[in-house]
Amino acid sequence: MTLEDTGSEKIEYGTEKEILNEQQPHWEKVFSNTCSRFGDKPSYPARKAAYVFEKEGKKKILELGGGQGRDTCFFASRGFSVHSLDYTESGPKAIKEKAEEAGLGEYVTALRHDVRNPLPFEDGTFDACYSHMLYCMALTTEELEFLCKEIKRVLKPGGINIYTARHTGDAHYGTGKHRGEDMYEIAGGFIVHFFSREKVEHLAKGYGSFELEEFEEGELPRKLYRVTMRK
């Protein structure tokens, strides 16, 4: 078993790393048991992102952690070409079915992919990238650093990366089982990586600029950052 220094504390690998890796089958089970866990209406950050993308003429979008497609289909309905990735098998399948049913199949490509691995696209492929709560899943800071670099690689010059993450002001922060760094396993077996402003700033290194907005979502409510980074 090894230890890695993250700057503020140490993460113990071995048992904890195995627990982080078990989130994939957990989400697979969740998606298999319901066709619309988060509803069918587009999220607030998706609506905000669409406004920014339209205003700045961004047409080809990469979505990470597409889930069951509520935001994917919304983007497609606005005329964007969307490549949506999710690390479950059921997610891309659900996205394809919803897009076809809505007559949006030509605008949507859905693939299974684990963002801890290199993105399966050439440099400068996309105008923009969008992800809603993908960043605050069971990903270590090192994995998030790698992801940010990969997103920057596949963005065109002037490309935009918009993501959301639950932050340390959230009511669930510090509750449940601690899983290393600022990650906690909360009710339902979900591991959440809660972000501080310092973490947002750290991950923005290498980008030209970033903007941060706080918002709330859901019944708790969940407290999140919406981060816009520009290449």
Side-chain angles (χ1 to χ4, degrees), residues 26-42:
H26 183 67
W27 276 102
E28 194 76 67
K29 182 178 179 180
V30 169
F31 284 170
S32 296
N33 290 338
T34 177
C35 62
S36 296
R37 175 177 172 79
F38 298 105
D40 294 315
K41 294 182 179 180

Side-chain angles (χ1 to χ4, degrees), residues 23-69:
Q23 286 289 282
Q24 191 275 335
H26 183 67
W27 276 102
E28 194 76 67
K29 182 178 179 180
V30 169
F31 284 170
S32 296
N33 290 338
T34 177
C35 62
S36 296
R37 175 177 172 79
F38 298 105
D40 294 315
K41 294 182 179 180
S43 66
Y44 164 77
R47 298 194 303 272
K48 292 282 286 188
Y51 172 79
V52 173
F53 297 159
E54 289 171 345
K55 182 179 179 181
E56 301 193 20
K58 310 302 185 185
K59 297 294 184 182
K60 191 172 184 179
I61 310 301
L62 172 62
E63 180 189 24
L64 303 178
Q68 295 168 305

Side-chain angles (χ1 to χ4, degrees), residues 52-108:
V52 173
F53 297 159
E54 289 171 345
K55 182 179 179 181
E56 301 193 20
K58 310 302 185 185
K59 297 294 184 182
K60 191 172 184 179
I61 310 301
L62 172 62
E63 180 189 24
L64 303 178
Q68 295 168 305
R70 62 169 179 159
D71 288 343
T72 316
C73 289
F74 167 69
F75 286 128
S77 72
R78 301 291 288 263
F80 296 105
S81 171
V82 188
H83 281 67
S84 184
L85 307 184
D86 195 90
Y87 77 162
T88 65
E89 289 185 4
S90 53
K93 181 180 178 181
I95 290 172
K96 290 176 183 177
E97 291 176 351
K98 287 183 179 180
E100 290 295 337
E101 290 174 1
L104 300 169
E106 65 180 300
Y107 298 102
V108 175

Side-chain angles (χ1 to χ4, degrees), residues 154-202:
V154 302
L155 286 177
K156 297 176 183 177
I160 302 172
N161 177 18
I162 295 179
Y163 73 86
T164 67
R166 295 174 73 173
H167 62 66
T168 53
D170 187 280
H172 277 153
Y173 176 63
T175 67
K177 297 179 181 178
H178 186 218
R179 296 303 187 189
E181 296 190 34
D182 280 323
M183 289 183 281
Y184 291 87
E185 183 176 334
I186 62 175
F190 299 103
I191 296 176
V192 179
H193 192 155
F194 294 91
F195 276 41
S196 64
R197 184 182 178 89
E198 290 73 23
K199 180 149 292 183
V200 172
E201 293 175 350
H202 174 72

Side-chain angles (χ1 to χ4, degrees), residues 92-145:
K93 181 180 178 181
I95 290 172
K96 290 176 183 177
E97 291 176 351
K98 287 183 179 180
E100 290 295 337
E101 290 174 1
L104 300 169
E106 65 180 300
Y107 298 102
V108 175
T109 299
L111 304 169
R112 184 183 184 187
H113 181 76
D114 188 331
V115 296
R116 293 173 294 185
N117 299 319
L119 295 174
F121 305 105
E122 298 293 329
D123 297 0
T125 299
F126 297 97
D127 296 316
C129 180
Y130 166 83
S131 56
H132 183 28
M133 292 202 292
L134 179 279
Y135 271 60
C136 61
M137 295 186 72
L139 298 168
T140 66
T141 297
E142 182 180 8
E143 290 166 341
L144 289 167
E145 290 169 347

